Amino acid sequence: MLDVVRKFPEQAREALEMDFEFDIDFSRIRRVMVAGMGGSAISADILSHFSKIPFHVVRDYAPPPFLDEKTLFIAVSYSGNTEETLSCFSLAKEKCPHVAITTGGKLGEMAENVIKIPSGFQPRAAIAYLLFPMAKLLSRASIIDVDLENAIYILESEREKMEETARMVANEMTGIPLIYGYGVMQSIARRWRQQFNENAKMHAFDFMLPECNHNELEAWEGSREKMTCIFLREREEGERIKTRFDFMREEYKKRAKVIEIYAAGKDSFSRAMYHMHVGDLASIYMAERRGVEAEPVNLIMKLKETLSQHSRSSS
Ligand code: F6R
């Protein structure tokens, strides 16, 4: 798993070179809706922060009712067999132009427009293939405006720094990690949480600024648990957010360990990729430290199997 995750910069470059062409009139598109779950959905979450038009990420069995013919519907599922995504896709397919991003599976069979990505990875470790082709599609359609080349350059040139930071996080962490982010880093904080859950097999929680300042902040008045707060910061975060983070650090450090990480990169997408990669690596180092195997997701697979047995026996 560590070897695969370390290849994220190379995978991102390979994914960016993938080519596709669809007969969709993007000038008519007024909103984007992406259906997906877990390691597949997070790619859309991240890109939603850069969209110039309404962008909805659906993690459920049905799309919301405002889906219409001006919606670009993207179904993203690494396996192509995730039941929530398939259910959304079959409800949306006839109503609007669609694209599927998948290795194949049922989704690959059902969709007309498919971006086929390489198989053989855990979905969460295939984030480059799930994210970069979607970003390329949306950039070409002028829906987002992100510098994908620069993001890859940052991933390549900051490799050592990211490794070092990830090791430091895994070595210094005690108790439950609480991860905080603002703007696109809200989605990156969620990714960190998911990666600690799935790779290190541990609980973790993510929080978004400024919202958490209106609720979670107060929990520190009575907090007794052992925890590590990880702040995903940017030098460009702006005065108001800087003041909030600085305030939080001074309060939280009275009761917990606080780790602040600043991302490299001249634009917000590159900085998001930087922070994401640090988190991915940290979760694997944390798995090593805890003596657990990062790759298998036995309980997730057991539930998927239970659900499919259930649908077989009830049909
Ligand atoms: C497993 C992982 C999961 C899956 C999720 C949806 O590595 O990250 O969160 O991504 O169960 O499955 P797919 O991505 O195949 O649609």
Side-chain angles (χ1 to χ4, degrees), residues 11 62 72 78 95 97 155 167 186 237 246 261 283 285 297:
Q11 291 177 344
L72 172 65
Y78 187 74
K95 295 196 182 134
L155 292 170
R167 280 184 199 281
Q186 296 173 349
E237 65 204 8
D246 291 349
I261 310 172
S283 69
Y285 292 133
V297 278

Side-chain angles (χ1 to χ4, degrees), residues 164-224:
E164 191 186 300
T165 309
R167 280 184 199 281
M168 176 275 287
V169 171
N171 288 338
E172 293 198 3
M173 232 170 71
T174 54
I176 306 268
L178 310 182
I179 309 118
Y180 300 79
Y182 165 71
V184 60
M185 301 315 168
Q186 296 173 349
S187 297
I188 301 299
R190 177 184 257 189
R191 166 76 175 180
W192 273 62
R193 191 262 295 160
Q194 295 174 341
Q195 293 289 74
F196 279 125
N197 295 158
E198 291 182 67
N199 291 333
K201 323 294 183 215
M202 66 190 294
H203 279 101
F205 298 92
D206 61 287
F207 298 97
M208 30 170 122
L209 269 76
E211 173 62 20
C212 68
N213 294 164
H214 299 268
N215 30 71
E216 186 263 355
L217 181 61
E218 206 52 37
W220 291 93
E221 280 282 48
S223 175
R224 311 256 179 287

Side-chain angles (χ1 to χ4, degrees), residues 1 36-41 76-82 85 122-125 130 191 195 198 295 297 300 304:
M1 193 74 166
M37 302 301 298
S40 289
V76 57
S77 168
Y78 187 74
S79 61
N81 291 322
T82 298
T85 314
Q122 274 292 335
R124 62 193 185 281
L130 294 159
R191 166 76 175 180
Q195 293 289 74
E198 291 182 67
E295 183 155 351
V297 278
I300 295 176
K304 287 187 181 182

